[in-house]
Amino acid sequence: NLSCAKLIGADLSRTNLSGVDLRGADLSDANLSYAILTDADLTGAILIAANLTHANLSGVNLSGAILSGANLNNANLNEAIMNHAMLTDTDLTGANLNEAALNGANLNNANLTRANLTRVNLRHANMLYANLHGADLTGADLRGADLRGATLNGANLRDADLGSANLSDANLRGADLGSANLRDA
């Protein structure tokens, strides 16, 4: 149990923290590259500017966590729970967010280039100016999402639900919208 621990700037690279309770822990500027955090509880944790490149966060709970400016390049967030998480200016290039829950999350200015967002829940997410170039959003739930100014060129939105999403000034050049729901978008 490391809940509320102060691990600011800690080097935890390649550490196995599977199933660890890190609720409310402060991991700002920590190095967690290649760390294994499967099924860990990071509810409300602070990971500002943390390095999580290639980290395995499969099934992790990051609800309400603050990851602003974090580097999650090529991280595995398969089935992660990230509802209402703060991910502004976060780098998620090539990350796997397959079936992750990001309901109400803030992804303003996030970089999701080539990310796997298959069947992800981004309902009511704030994604202003997010970069989703070449991202796979097949079957994603984007109902009510704010995608103003987002870059979605070359993105796969096949079977995605964009009902009531705000796509003002979004770049959809070359995006695949086959069978996507755009009702009231």
Side-chain angles (χ1 to χ4, degrees), residues 17-89:
L17 297 165
S18 296
V20 172
D21 182 355
L22 288 157
R23 287 175 294 165
D26 191 344
L27 293 149
S28 297
D29 295 310
N31 182 2
L32 292 152
S33 60
Y34 294 94
I36 301 169
L37 293 139
T38 53
D39 300 313
D41 191 350
L42 287 140
T43 304
I46 302 167
L47 293 136
I48 297 169
N51 180 2
L52 291 145
T53 57
H54 296 280
N56 186 350
L57 297 142
S58 182
V60 72
N61 187 348
L62 283 158
S63 294
I66 302 170
L67 294 112
S68 299
N71 186 348
L72 288 139
N73 245 333
N74 296 303
N76 180 11
L77 291 149
N78 184 57
E79 297 181 359
I81 301 165
M82 303 170 76
N83 295 321
H84 304 286
M86 177 68 70
L87 295 146
T88 55
D89 300 308

